[in-house]
Amino acid sequence: MLFFCDEAQDFGRIELQFIIGLSEYLNYDLTPLSNLDQGIPVVFAGDAFQTVNPTGFRKAEVKDLFYTILNSKLDNNQYKPIYNYRSSQAIVNLSNSIQFFRKEKLNISGNPQKTKRYQETNDVYLDKFISIENIIENEDYYLQQLMYKTFIIPVDRFSKEDFINDHIFLKNYIDSSFKNTKEDTNYDLVRTAVEAKGVDYPQVVVYGFGDYF
């Protein structure tokens, strides 16, 4: 019996106890075995930086539960994949550049990755980081270049309207995108991070996070 558990960063003690409790290993005395890191068929996959658990994710807690329930240590059992099986090379390059920025500026280590996805076309060069000042100075150019793309902003839905009103470029962007339509703008082209989570957009602009934070 094998257990593969995704989004493991959101597990709390109760979920972990339940999963371990399903293991057939509980039917055996494992005391004589000093290390089972190659033998327990339970795999947790997740990203500690993406947890929604208020108490955060602690690998030490997982190891402690295994030791307490199974009387076995779990060491050297962490695997960080070097290949990204989901995204294109352009997206992986962007992720790697963010990882590098985090390491250099925030001293947070990350793993650069390569893509395993088949490349149907060559990646088009894209300025990954553009300052808000640059956007404002060249507003007409960027209004055309970013037309109908989805902007993701760093506030919740209750602060969304105020954020848009505080950034004249966003207001002009919405107006210019819908100037030839009769549709209600309703800020559909500007989404909060929570509104955008789990949704696929053809192209997005992550706007104002560096300035906001």
Side-chain angles (χ1 to χ4, degrees), residues 145-201:
Q145 292 297 311
L146 303 176
M147 188 72 69
Y148 300 119
K149 293 174 175 56
T150 300
F151 277 65
I152 300 176
I153 58 176
V155 295
D156 58 32
R157 62 187 179 89
F158 302 106
S159 305
K160 181 177 179 178
E161 186 171 354
D162 289 338
F163 187 87
I164 293 174
N165 289 332
D166 290 340
H167 290 78
I168 188 64
F169 176 81
L170 288 179
K171 294 183 66 176
N172 293 341
Y173 171 71
I174 293 171
D175 292 341
S176 64
S177 296
F178 284 91
K179 65 182 179 180
N180 295 321
T181 71
K182 296 180 180 180
E183 302 176 33
D184 180 11
T185 62
N186 198 30
Y187 304 126
D188 286 336
L189 292 177
V190 179
R191 314 293 284 175
T192 69
V194 173
E195 290 173 332
K197 184 173 177 60
V199 183
D200 287 329
Y201 299 105

Side-chain angles (χ1 to χ4, degrees), residues 55-80:
T55 60
F57 175 83
R58 293 181 296 276
K59 187 173 67 171
E61 184 177 16
V62 178
K63 294 174 66 174
D64 178 65
L65 279 172
F66 271 92
Y67 183 79
T68 301
I69 297 176
L70 299 176
N71 293 319
S72 299
K73 296 180 181 179
L74 288 169
D75 296 316
N76 302 321
N77 62 327
Q78 185 175 6
Y79 171 72
K80 295 183 178 180

Side-chain angles (χ1 to χ4, degrees), residues 3-19:
F3 294 99
F4 289 86
C5 309
D6 198 8
E7 305 296 347
Q9 73 274 4
D10 294 328
F11 293 163
R13 179 170 288 269
I14 294 176
E15 292 92 342
L16 290 169
Q17 288 176 329
F18 174 76
I19 293 169

